[in-house]
Amino acid sequence: MVNLRLNDLAHGRLDADKLDPRDIIIRPGFNFRDTSSETAQKHIDWLADSIRDIGVQEPIRVEFTGGKAYLINGECRLLALRKLWDEGLEIYVPTMQSKGDEAEILAKSMIANGALPPTKMEFGSAAARLL
């Protein structure tokens, strides 16, 4: 049996900028998910525990406009990271820049929510925005 390493199988590396999660701006009403719901809050708590144990596994997507970072995708991860900062655990968030118009960005966000799929109401709200 050959001992393989991840680098032996990889087809490249992901290099993401790391930002202070408090510096990423959440636009009111941009995300179609209701992060105040009990289900979302439990998910955010679970993410905070996971990040505390193994770090951030998926970069947050942002748009840079006017020298500021605006959240595009990953609000639950961002809220979990902010929660950890409030507890005194300073973990910087890996970020990647998203490009495209608002409809493209929203469509990508609708299909990218794997860990906590949107409710039917949230998905319907997003679909109505696309129209």
Side-chain angles (χ1 to χ4, degrees), residues 3 17 44 48 75-76 78:
N3 288 332
D17 294 315
I44 291 165
E75 187 168 350
C76 290
L78 180 61

Side-chain angles (χ1 to χ4, degrees), residues 2-125:
V2 177
N3 288 332
L4 291 176
R5 297 174 304 144
L6 179 60
N7 289 353
D8 297 328
L9 301 174
H11 295 277
R13 291 183 51 101
L14 173 66
D15 185 26
D17 294 315
K18 293 187 178 179
L19 299 178
D20 181 329
R22 299 167 300 174
D23 292 337
I24 299 172
I25 300 166
I26 300 173
R27 288 179 264 212
F30 184 81
N31 186 355
F32 57 86
R33 181 180 310 286
D34 177 9
T35 56
S36 67
S37 74
E38 182 179 344
T39 301
Q41 287 297 308
K42 286 180 182 179
H43 180 65
I44 291 165
D45 290 342
W46 174 82
L47 281 169
D49 290 340
S50 175
I51 292 168
R52 188 182 295 110
D53 292 342
I54 61 173
V56 180
Q57 300 300 301
E58 176 77 21
I60 288 174
R61 303 275 176 180
V62 297
E63 173 185 42
F64 290 100
T65 303
K68 296 180 180 179
Y70 293 89
L71 181 70
I72 296 298
N73 182 282
E75 187 168 350
C76 290
R77 276 172 279 151
L78 180 61
L79 294 173
L81 282 157
R82 287 180 176 179
K83 183 176 187 168
L84 293 172
W85 274 73
D86 290 345
E87 295 172 5
L89 188 58
E90 297 178 0
I91 299 174
Y92 292 88
V93 58
T95 59
M96 297 185 70
Q97 186 171 0
S98 282
K99 296 182 180 179
D101 62 26
E102 185 174 349
E104 289 173 307
I105 290 169
L106 179 59
K108 288 177 190 175
S109 177
M110 289 171 71
I111 60 173
N113 285 286
L116 180 63
T119 66
K120 290 177 184 175
M121 290 295 291
E122 291 168 341
F123 194 85
S125 171

